[in-house]
Amino acid sequence: MHTASGARLGASNPRQEGPTDLRLVPPALAAWATAALTVDAAVTRVSAVVVVCLAGAGALLWLHRGGARSAPPDGGERESGRRGGAARRRHDGGGGRRGEGADGRAEGGTGRGVGGGGRRRDAADGPRGSDERRRGEGGTGRWGEWPQVSVAAVLLCVAAAAASAGAHGADLRRGPVPALAGHYAQVTADVEITSDPRLTRPRINGDHAAPTAVLFDAEVGRLRKPDGAVVATRTPVLVIVDASAPRQPGALRQPGAPAERGGPARSPWLELLPSTRVRVTARLVPALTGGDRIAGVLRVRGGAPPDVVAEPSGAQRLAGRLRRGLREATDGLPPDARALLPGLVVGDTSRVTPELDDAFKETDLAHLLAVSGGNLAILLVLFTGPPGLAQRAERRGLASRLGIPLRTTALLGGALTLAFVIVCRPDPSVLRAAACGGIVLLAIATGRRRSLIPALAAAVLVLVLHDPWLARSYGFLLSVLATGALLTVAPRWSAALRRRRVPPRAAEALAAAAAAQALCAPVVAVLSARVSLVAVPCNLLAEFAVAPATVLGFAALATAPVAMPVAKGVAWSASWPVGWIAGIARTGAALPGSGVDWPDSWTGALLLALVTAAVVFVGRRLVRHPWLCGVCVVLFLLVVVQPPPLARVITGWPPPGWRFAVCDVGQGDATVLAAGEGAGVVVDAGPDPVLVDRCLSALGITRIPLVVLTHFHADHVAGLPGVLRGRSVGAIETTGLDEPRDQAEFVRSQASARHIPLTRAATGERRRTGTLDWRVVWPPPAPVPAPEGPNDASVALLVRSAGMSLLLLGDLEPPAQQALLRSPEGARLGAVDVLKVAHHGSAYQDPELIRRVAPRLALISCGEDNPYGHPAPSTLAALRAGGAAVMRTDEDGAIAVAGAGEELRVAGD
């Protein structure tokens, strides 16, 4: 070993490391699979599994014991051989303890050496001698001692996992909750909160945003039935609370987004801490999907504040105080840093907007918002130093500098781990990290050899036996896969890269990011139906900022309760690396080729795994040819970035000389009027920020003189953040009817946050930019009849662009269309080249208006398989009867128009 070290004086830490210990891996995997399959199985099946496994394990152990009793003759020969070997070593001058192995340890007081000359002799015996020894060690070759014991251990773990899973599954079926949920009963229940309350994400349903709700997990402890009977129970449920509470006047908030300081009051339900007991009157309904860890759902209506019957525990109050302090310390930071820093440090994502959350998911950086082993590892390394140096004189870390003994360091590290779990909440990734960290700390305290793969297997085994529902958790699966990739695949890839002259640090970072992505991507594809092409580069670029952001974030967390000004200063320092991470996520997500759609099934996951294996296989051969590697990198960049000139040459999109484009944003409207090189007037923003952002990027739009929002329905304004992202915007013009009110507030908040002027459209208003000229033809200041809703208050534009005439009608319905024809502006309407059909081509159209404008081309923006039947067959027939060619985004994708009159050209992407 000293010779192999390459040093003249030998290895500084002469320790012979054997092969990786994988003995715990089969029991852990078997227990995991068993828990996943039996957690909701019938009691009879679970009992059968337990009995069969116990019987099989008992039989194997009995056979092993019988084989061991029949082994003394061989054992005596082996003992004689060992004694003879020891005598020969003493005769050769080895003497006493010099016959010990390289570790410098002896088996006990018998004086028998472990390793040393004995091991060299075994190696010299060759395979034949090895086989003879295996047959002689109390077994029968392949099915000898070790296989019998290992199979018995696997069967015992399977039995334990089945028993634990059966008990936890029975908890869901026990008590009155399941039966009452089946009858949709109205009940009064005392529940203990077991998770942080959280807001649902905003969802766009048609033209409005679905109301948000507060969700939290809880356990029912006391239940009053509809007949008045009170029963005690302990059953897990999900509680959904109506969050549509009154807001402060003038408050600005994106629908569903968490309230910020200075904005609307947060729902009092969001302030509740785990372990708090509240009394609710709610309707008990069944869970939407089976196989979950809840027995039912409590739906609380009315928006009343919570009725607290028992305060949270002291530990949870302290954790809540720390989390609130960190949020307060970040209040003055830029929006992204204010939202992300609590998420990076303690998993508090209450301020993360849906837009930013989507960016992290698109780039596979979402794991940074789920507190995991990386956060705990940084804390433990800062305190204990690197585990590999913990038992050496040169050990590092804060504990070493303070003179804390090794075992006390391990105990304090355990307390730090427990505090980490309480503050960051016991999510699956947190529990996995804490279990692995605890096992490593135990190894440090006892002086045992540390091996992280057995530690990971032991953590999985312990956690699955403690909580079998983790076996079905995607978060737990991703956490284990990522950790396993870092422990098994990453070191091999890193060594291969170093052999090809890649700098060590760069090789380690690249290998870690690639290995984690390779193993986790199939599962992520099942969850998101998408594969990120920018995950590895984005993770590499973000990795350099994670450690400083985490360290500074925890420093702000610790100092906030005692010195808030100091905490604010530390948080400001952390905002720089956090802002870098947010910028990486936003930039990566905005790239046109950032990802590809993928089947969201396990068949799709298997296909992706095969594709990944093929890429690795080809990549191992490509790295030998630097020129080919360079070509592949350039091709990859072109696929991901898709420069507009190159994309136009390859795909033909957008067509040269385009004047008007309809973006494919699903069930909604987003259109663009070309206003010069890289500039465009955007009319409506659609329902999805990501889709409209991609459309504008594909069109090459970087400057927007004006955004026109025809009305405030969500399918026309909810995508506004995507329009504003990374672009220069001159002003936003809206209709005069502020309904729905929450959407109008959202638009004002977006304009205010970016200091963009907000104006009102007025009939007769005329604007011009370059060859683009448009006039507002609706709505008048006091329309007659009064609008029946936001649709009839839509801004309608008559546009001329380089000889092309267009009429954009928003979502006007027949009453407003007829009023438009009677108005002075409508009297001047004549035939147009292009008509953007009102209200996604619904059946509610005025035939006279279609005949009056007689479009050559009618464009309809609607979502594929939308539930409204848009476009209506009657509308399509009326348009075609008037001689119009009809194109629709649900069938043709995005649409661009060029030319004018007889030379009118149209293309889809």
Side-chain angles (χ1 to χ4, degrees):
M1 177 191 314
H2 290 284
T3 303
S5 70
R8 183 173 61 86
L9 300 178
S12 61
N13 183 40
R15 189 186 190 99
Q16 178 68 47
E17 297 291 349
T20 303
D21 186 356
L22 301 177
R23 288 175 295 176
L24 278 176
V25 173
L29 293 178
W32 192 349
T34 302
L37 294 173
T38 60
V39 72
D40 60 350
V43 176
T44 54
R45 293 186 179 182
V46 174
S47 301
V49 171
V50 173
V51 170
V52 170
C53 289
L54 289 178
L60 288 173
L61 292 175
W62 181 80
L63 289 174
H64 164 65
R65 184 178 181 185
R69 287 178 176 177
S70 64
D74 293 340
E77 292 176 6
R78 290 196 306 277
E79 183 64 27
S80 298
R82 283 194 292 268
R83 290 178 180 174
R88 284 193 296 273
R89 288 192 294 275
R90 288 194 297 271
H91 178 72
D92 291 340
R97 293 184 177 271
R98 295 180 186 173
E100 298 169 359
D103 289 348
R105 293 182 301 210
E107 282 274 342
T110 63
R112 296 195 299 273
V114 181
R119 291 198 179 187
R120 288 192 294 272
R121 185 178 184 86
D122 289 346
D125 289 343
R128 181 178 178 182
S130 178
D131 292 341
E132 290 174 355
R133 282 193 306 277
R134 284 196 299 269
R135 285 194 294 270
E137 292 177 359
T140 58
R142 183 178 178 183
W143 297 102
E145 172 185 13
W146 166 241
Q148 289 178 353
V149 174
S150 62
V151 173
V154 170
L155 291 176
L156 289 175
C157 289
V158 168
S164 178
H168 281 77
D171 287 343
L172 299 184
R173 299 185 291 269
R174 192 166 36 240
V177 171
L180 291 172
H183 290 88
Y184 296 82
Q186 187 81 8
V187 298
T188 299
D190 290 356
V191 300
E192 180 177 335
I193 300 174
T194 58
S195 71
D196 280 312
R198 56 200 182 274
L199 278 173
T200 56
R201 286 197 56 171
R203 292 180 295 106
I204 306 301
N205 288 338
D207 58 9
H208 67 281
T212 56
V214 177
L215 308 180
F216 57 86
D217 301 316
E219 283 189 348
V220 177
R222 181 176 176 272
L223 185 70
R224 182 184 294 275
K225 297 182 179 180
D227 60 3
V230 177
V231 294
T233 183
R234 192 168 184 81
T235 308
V237 294
L238 174 68
V239 181
I240 302 178
V241 183
D242 182 10
S244 56
R247 293 191 296 273
Q248 297 174 357
L252 307 179
R253 178 171 66 93
Q254 178 175 357
E260 299 290 343
R261 188 176 182 180
R266 283 165 58 91
S267 167
W269 292 88
L270 292 171
E271 306 298 332
L272 297 175
L273 296 173
S275 75
T276 305
R277 291 180 60 196
V278 295
R279 180 167 296 157
V280 298
T281 298
R283 186 166 300 279
L284 189 57
V285 302
L288 291 178
T289 58
D292 208 349
R293 64 190 308 165
I294 58 173
V297 177
L298 286 170
R299 301 190 65 94
V300 182
R301 303 289 188 183
D307 180 11
V308 177
V309 297
E311 295 295 328
S313 64
Q316 291 294 348
R317 286 198 297 270
L318 176 59
R321 182 184 176 191
L322 290 172
R323 292 165 72 97
R324 283 194 302 272
L326 180 59
R327 285 197 297 269
E328 183 179 349
T330 60
D331 276 346
L333 301 181
D336 282 350
R338 182 171 64 247
L340 284 181
L341 187 57
L344 290 172
V345 176
V346 295
D348 181 1
T349 58
S350 59
R351 288 174 165 175
V352 176
T353 62
E355 176 198 3
L356 186 57
D357 185 54
D358 286 338
F360 271 72
K361 289 178 179 177
E362 291 281 340
T363 54
D364 277 3
L365 290 173
H367 63 91
L368 297 179
L369 301 180
V371 178
S372 61
N375 304 63
L376 181 59
I378 291 172
L379 288 180
L380 291 180
V381 168
L382 283 175
F383 182 68
T384 67
L389 301 178
Q391 293 175 350
R392 303 186 196 176
E394 62 268 26
R395 72 186 181 101
R396 303 172 188 171
L398 181 61
S400 174
R401 295 182 179 275
L402 296 177
I404 302 175
L406 185 60
R407 293 191 176 182
T408 306
T409 298
L411 290 175
L412 293 176
L416 180 64
T417 302
L418 179 61
F420 177 82
V421 173
I422 293 174
V423 173
C424 299
R425 309 306 191 215
D427 293 327
S429 59
V430 175
L431 292 176
R432 194 273 312 154
C436 286
I439 293 171
V440 172
L441 290 170
L442 180 62
I444 292 175
T446 57
R448 300 294 300 274
R449 174 185 172 191
R450 295 165 305 282
S451 182
L452 292 180
I453 292 179
L456 176 62
V460 170
L461 182 59
V462 170
L463 291 174
V464 167
L465 292 179
H466 170 69
D467 183 4
W469 289 105
L470 288 175
R472 291 189 173 184
S473 167
Y474 283 105
F476 185 69
L477 174 60
L478 289 170
S479 177
V480 174
L481 284 177
T483 306
L486 297 179
L487 298 180
T488 57
V489 180
R492 297 174 182 268
W493 290 2
S494 176
L497 290 172
R498 288 197 301 272
R499 286 195 299 268
R500 289 167 174 81
R501 300 180 182 180
V502 177
R505 291 187 178 274
E508 290 177 4
L510 179 59
Q517 178 67 13
L519 266 67
C520 294
V523 179
V524 174
V526 173
L527 297 175
S528 63
R530 187 172 176 83
V531 176
S532 175
L533 298 181
V534 298
V536 172
C538 285
N539 275 274
L540 281 174
L541 293 172
E543 184 65 28
F544 301 103
V546 171
T550 302
V551 172
L552 292 171
F554 273 109
L557 177 79
T559 55
V562 294
M564 182 56 69
V566 175
K568 287 181 176 291
V570 175
W572 178 85
S573 301
S575 68
W576 293 92
V578 171
W580 168 262
I581 296 172
I584 293 298
R586 291 188 183 278
T587 302
L591 293 173
S594 62
V596 295
D597 294 334
W598 201 264
D600 56 344
S601 64
W602 288 111
T603 302
L606 177 60
L607 177 61
L608 181 57
L610 294 176
V611 171
T612 302
V615 170
V616 172
F617 178 79
V618 174
R620 291 180 61 184
R621 282 147 182 81
L622 280 178
V623 293
R624 303 171 187 170
H625 307 283
W627 285 103
L628 286 178
C629 290
V631 171
C632 290
V633 170
V634 171
L635 290 176
F636 172 78
L637 291 175
L638 292 177
V639 169
V640 170
V641 177
Q642 296 181 12
L646 180 62
R648 182 177 296 130
V649 170
I650 295 176
T651 66
W653 178 266
W658 70 275
R659 308 307 304 168
F660 179 63
V662 181
C663 295
D664 183 9
V665 292
Q667 184 65 18
D669 267 10
T671 61
V672 187
L673 294 160
E677 186 66 28
V681 172
V682 175
V683 181
D684 287 328
D688 190 327
V690 174
L691 294 180
V692 71
D693 183 27
R694 287 180 182 166
C695 177
L696 294 177
S697 297
L699 294 171
I701 301 299
T702 58
R703 184 172 57 86
I704 303 175
L706 182 69
V707 176
V708 179
L709 300 177
T710 60
H711 61 295
F712 290 112
H713 273 153
D715 58 335
H716 291 249
V717 303
L720 183 59
V723 174
L724 306 181
R725 183 185 300 154
R727 297 179 179 87
S728 171
V729 178
I732 298 176
E733 188 172 71
T734 70
T735 183
L737 182 65
D738 291 348
E739 291 183 7
R741 188 167 298 278
D742 60 338
Q743 306 296 322
E745 291 175 351
F746 162 58
V747 170
R748 292 194 189 96
S749 69
Q750 293 292 320
S752 174
R754 294 167 174 82
H755 308 289
I756 299 174
L758 196 64
T759 63
R760 303 272 189 176
T763 302
E765 171 191 337
R766 187 165 185 171
R767 297 199 183 203
R768 185 183 186 89
T769 174
T771 59
L772 182 64
D773 176 278
W774 70 94
R775 189 171 77 250
V776 177
V777 297
W778 189 267
V784 179
E788 296 182 1
N791 285 344
D792 281 347
S794 294
V795 176
L797 303 175
L798 180 62
V799 183
R800 294 194 179 275
S801 176
M804 178 193 301
S805 58
L806 307 95
L807 179 61
L808 314 182
L809 290 176
D811 275 3
L812 292 181
E813 296 188 356
Q817 293 179 17
Q818 294 166 3
L820 170 61
L821 289 175
R822 295 191 299 267
S823 69
E825 293 293 336
R828 286 184 270 178
L829 286 178
V832 297
D833 292 318
V834 180
L835 172 67
K836 201 290 294 182
V837 181
H839 203 185
H840 319 293
S842 76
Y844 300 103
Q845 309 289 336
D846 180 53
E848 178 58 30
L849 179 61
I850 295 177
R851 285 192 293 269
R852 174 82 65 88
V853 298
R856 293 175 179 271
L857 176 66
L859 304 180
I860 301 174
S861 178
C862 57
E864 185 177 6
D865 298 326
N866 66 83
Y868 310 101
H870 296 163
S874 59
T875 299
L876 296 176
L879 291 168
R880 288 169 179 152
V886 179
M887 294 191 70
R888 38 195 285 192
T889 57
D890 61 333
E891 293 182 352
D892 302 306
I895 304 166
V897 185
E902 297 295 335
E903 298 180 358
L904 194 68
R905 305 185 308 276
V906 62
D909 68 347

